[in-house]
Amino acid sequence: MLPPVSGAGVSAVYGSFWLGNTEFALRAGAIREVVNAPAAVSAVPLSPPFMLGLFNLRGRIIPIVDLRLLLEVPDSDAPDRKVAIIEDGQLCIGLMVDRTGEVLNTKGVARVDFGPKQGQPKDVVVEGLLKLDGGRRIVQILDPFEILNLEKVPQGEILAGSGAEVAAASRGPRLNCISFQFGHTTCAIDLRHVTEVMDAPEIMESVLVHDCFVGITNVRGKTIPVADFRNFMRDTARLRDSKSVPPKRKMLIVETEGGAIGLLVYSIDSIVSCFADEILQFTKLALPRGDIVRGCLLGNDNSIIMLLDHDALKRDPLLVDTARRCNEIHPVEDRAKTRSKTQLASTRLTFIVFTVDMRLALNTSDVSEVIDYPTTLLQPPFAIDFVDGVVNLRGELISLIDPRKLYGMPVAERRGERVLIFKQDGHKYGLVVDSVDKIVNTTESQVGEMPSLSHHSKSKKVADDICGCIKPVPEVTIMILDVDAVLRRCFNLVGEDRISSSVAD
């Protein structure tokens, strides 16, 4: 290390802040703004201890570093911590501090510069000292460039423009992405690249158990390897106390260049709809598995969801090699291969399967997103039996239709319902369901006519609004609900003007 260099008469402006009784400073030009500590921070897998996570600041994804942990300053109670947003060129990051200090004009102030250093982050990010009040006050100077280039810390990108500025005609197709938890992090993947989502099946031991793979399973006659997605992401961080592992995990089936694999996750959260220009980018994501992350999406509650890059996922050497070895050990029968080729030649369809007293499905092309049942609802000035109320979803007022009341099904106790948001004729509506069970990918050839139903009054009503069923059906018949028919039933019951006004009021 080079010896410190002392100087005087340095003319620069700094912003100071405190960690306990120690004062630090950054060049004022590098500080974009100071904000209150965010209420919600989304964890980043594989991040170092001082990396708190990511938060959404007016549509920009900002990583937060806790300077106490980075600089190894002893912990203390600081009730109203602040976040200093610093930037260098096109990069930005947030620094969590105890409290802000003052603006320092250092003209005539002695400064000690440290030479180039190596070692721990705390030894690298401090570039020198300021001596004020005749040396009685020492302020340590931080180097914003070194902070922005910390290993394993993602850097937020200062976006050149908002997605709203892009003409709708140039935005391309809307993406429907399924989000899921694999521990303390939420990820999502484009539904077009997911073959199926199901409850975790029985997993059998196999010679393929290695690395992140935990065994094999049989899905309708085909043997596929199963990987624990948390281990695949090499996420060893301690699970937060608020995140408990559910008793029944979920499995996503995705295709790789070597064949199909199953990915075990903790839970399926939602369907997030977005355009490509709404995917928030990182300039750099220096994480061991950053190669399969395409960007970030914002969830319904402004939470941050890491969107996976399926093209990178399907080429991942570990996944491809294991899928190929599985096909060699457990070859698929010729008849199954022929059937698979025939299915691939047909138009591919994706359905979201849910329960409302019975198993039903909607084509995902009709569903814009899935949300939790809201805690607060607006009540229209008139009562409609089958409308629970109106939810304000990001500025849009959406009527929530309760199919139990609409079809005369038994009333059930409210417990963890979900809402499927769909759009018809320029208006959005919500369908209240007991649970969202799985995603089924199939083809037109596997969608049949509606089977005969029992003569219960509720079945007759539902039968009128069914447009087909999904086959083969190894467990129970999955009937496809026609949202046009559902709305026609609603309009016929109360009149189009009344239900339309419940959306607009």
Side-chain angles (χ1 to χ4, degrees):
M1 185 179 72
L2 297 177
V5 178
S6 297
V10 177
S11 181
V13 178
Y14 291 83
S16 76
F17 53 88
W18 294 81
L19 295 176
N21 296 321
T22 305
E23 190 174 13
F24 297 86
L26 280 163
R27 295 194 308 273
I31 303 175
R32 181 181 179 90
E33 62 181 306
V34 178
V35 299
N36 292 327
V41 177
S42 297
V44 175
L46 307 168
S47 58
F50 55 78
M51 174 69 184
L52 296 182
L54 308 172
F55 82 108
N56 173 31
L57 179 63
R58 299 187 296 275
R60 289 170 52 200
I61 303 302
I62 308 292
I64 301 183
V65 166
D66 189 331
L67 274 183
R68 277 193 166 275
L69 297 178
L70 174 65
L71 301 176
E72 299 180 7
V73 176
D75 193 18
S76 67
D77 293 331
D80 298 311
R81 303 190 75 188
K82 303 292 183 182
V83 177
I85 308 299
I86 65 171
E87 64 182 25
D88 184 74
Q90 292 297 304
L91 308 179
C92 64
I93 200 169
L95 302 179
M96 182 82 78
V97 301
D98 289 353
R99 65 186 188 279
T100 56
E102 59 185 286
V103 176
L104 303 174
N105 189 329
T106 60
K107 185 176 181 179
V109 172
R111 168 174 169 156
V112 177
D113 292 327
F114 298 155
K117 296 183 297 180
Q118 296 179 346
Q120 298 299 316
K122 67 182 180 65
D123 300 319
V124 175
V125 299
V126 178
E127 67 175 9
L129 303 173
L130 294 174
K131 295 182 178 181
L132 293 88
D133 300 336
R136 292 185 298 275
R137 179 182 176 188
I138 302 296
V139 180
Q140 300 183 49
I141 308 169
L142 299 183
D143 185 339
F145 177 81
E146 293 291 352
I147 294 174
L148 285 162
N149 284 276
L150 286 169
E151 184 181 1
K152 294 187 179 182
V153 174
Q155 301 165 330
E157 180 178 5
I158 301 174
L159 302 180
S162 168
E165 300 170 358
V166 182
S170 65
R171 303 186 78 178
R174 180 176 283 277
L175 307 178
N176 280 335
C177 303
I178 184 167
S179 67
F180 56 90
Q181 300 268 349
F182 66 86
H184 68 314
T185 302
T186 303
C187 280
I189 188 170
D190 191 333
L191 262 176
R192 295 174 300 175
H193 306 305
V194 179
T195 304
E196 193 167 347
V197 179
M198 62 177 68
D199 287 335
E202 179 184 359
I203 298 174
M204 298 168 283
E205 293 185 359
S206 169
V207 296
L208 297 174
V209 173
H210 70 292
D211 201 274
C212 62
F213 284 90
V214 294
I216 58 175
T217 192
N218 188 292
V219 180
R220 288 183 292 279
K222 182 177 182 179
T223 301
I224 64 172
V226 179
D228 187 311
F229 192 73
R230 176 172 159 88
N231 291 340
F232 172 71
M233 293 292 285
R234 293 182 172 83
D235 184 3
T236 58
R238 183 180 64 84
L239 291 180
R240 293 180 175 177
D241 295 336
S242 60
K243 298 288 184 186
S244 59
V245 179
K248 188 68 173 177
R249 297 176 73 177
K250 298 288 185 179
M251 186 175 79
L252 287 73
I253 300 179
V254 299
E255 287 289 336
T256 72
E257 292 181 349
I261 61 166
L263 297 176
L264 282 180
V265 300
Y266 286 173
S267 63
I268 302 299
D269 286 352
S270 181
I271 291 180
V272 182
S273 184
C274 70
F275 289 106
D277 59 29
E278 294 174 321
I279 300 172
L280 303 174
Q281 300 296 327
F282 287 113
T283 301
K284 181 180 72 173
L285 191 61
L287 301 175
R289 296 275 42 175
D291 57 315
I292 63 169
V293 177
R294 182 177 175 183
C296 288
L297 301 175
L298 295 182
N300 298 321
D301 55 355
N302 263 349
S303 60
I304 295 170
I305 302 169
M306 302 180 71
L307 180 63
L308 300 179
D309 183 340
H310 176 261
D311 288 336
L313 195 66
K314 73 178 183 181
R315 293 192 300 268
D316 183 84
L318 175 63
L319 303 184
V320 171
D321 178 66
T322 305
R324 284 177 177 162
R325 290 171 56 200
C326 184
N327 288 334
E328 292 171 358
I329 299 172
H330 306 280
V332 183
E333 296 180 1
D334 292 341
R335 182 176 60 181
K337 291 181 180 178
T338 302
R339 183 172 66 247
S340 177
K341 291 179 181 178
T342 303
Q343 291 175 353
L344 290 174
S346 304
T347 302
R348 191 167 180 265
L349 300 173
T350 304
F351 294 91
I352 182 167
V353 180
F354 58 92
T355 299
V356 183
D357 199 53
M358 63 178 65
R359 187 65 67 86
L360 297 168
L362 281 179
N363 194 315
T364 55
S365 63
D366 294 326
V367 179
S368 61
E369 60 184 301
V370 180
I371 64 173
D372 292 330
Y373 191 88
T375 56
T376 303
L377 286 174
L378 306 174
Q379 297 299 327
F382 48 85
I384 301 177
D385 290 341
F386 54 81
V387 175
D388 282 358
V390 178
V391 61
N392 186 338
L393 184 62
R394 298 187 297 275
E396 291 187 88
L397 299 182
I398 300 173
S399 293
L400 301 191
I401 300 170
D402 187 338
R404 285 186 174 275
K405 298 174 183 176
L406 182 65
Y407 294 112
M409 298 177 179
V411 177
E413 181 184 354
R414 293 287 187 203
R415 185 178 297 173
E417 289 91 343
R418 310 299 293 278
V419 179
L420 309 183
I421 305 296
F422 63 95
K423 187 173 183 179
Q424 294 293 103
D425 299 326
H427 292 295
K428 284 187 177 180
Y429 306 88
L431 192 70
V432 181
V433 303
D434 297 344
S435 63
V436 174
D437 302 325
K438 59 182 179 178
I439 305 294
V440 174
N441 281 328
T442 185
T443 60
E444 287 182 344
S445 62
Q446 296 300 303
V447 175
E449 295 182 358
M450 180 193 69
S452 59
L453 298 173
S454 65
H455 296 291
H456 296 304
S457 60
K458 71 175 183 181
S459 297
K460 287 183 179 180
K461 289 181 180 180
V462 173
D464 291 338
D465 297 344
I466 296 297
C467 58
C469 67
I470 303 172
K471 61 178 185 178
V473 286
E475 309 135 1
V476 295
T477 299
I478 302 176
M479 297 178 293
I480 304 170
L481 197 60
D482 185 341
V483 292
D484 289 325
V486 173
L487 288 180
R488 282 197 300 270
R489 178 181 297 275
C490 295
F491 293 146
N492 290 338
L493 287 175
V494 300
E496 184 171 351
D497 291 340
R498 290 182 63 187
I499 191 167
S500 295
S501 63
S502 73
V503 176
D505 288 349

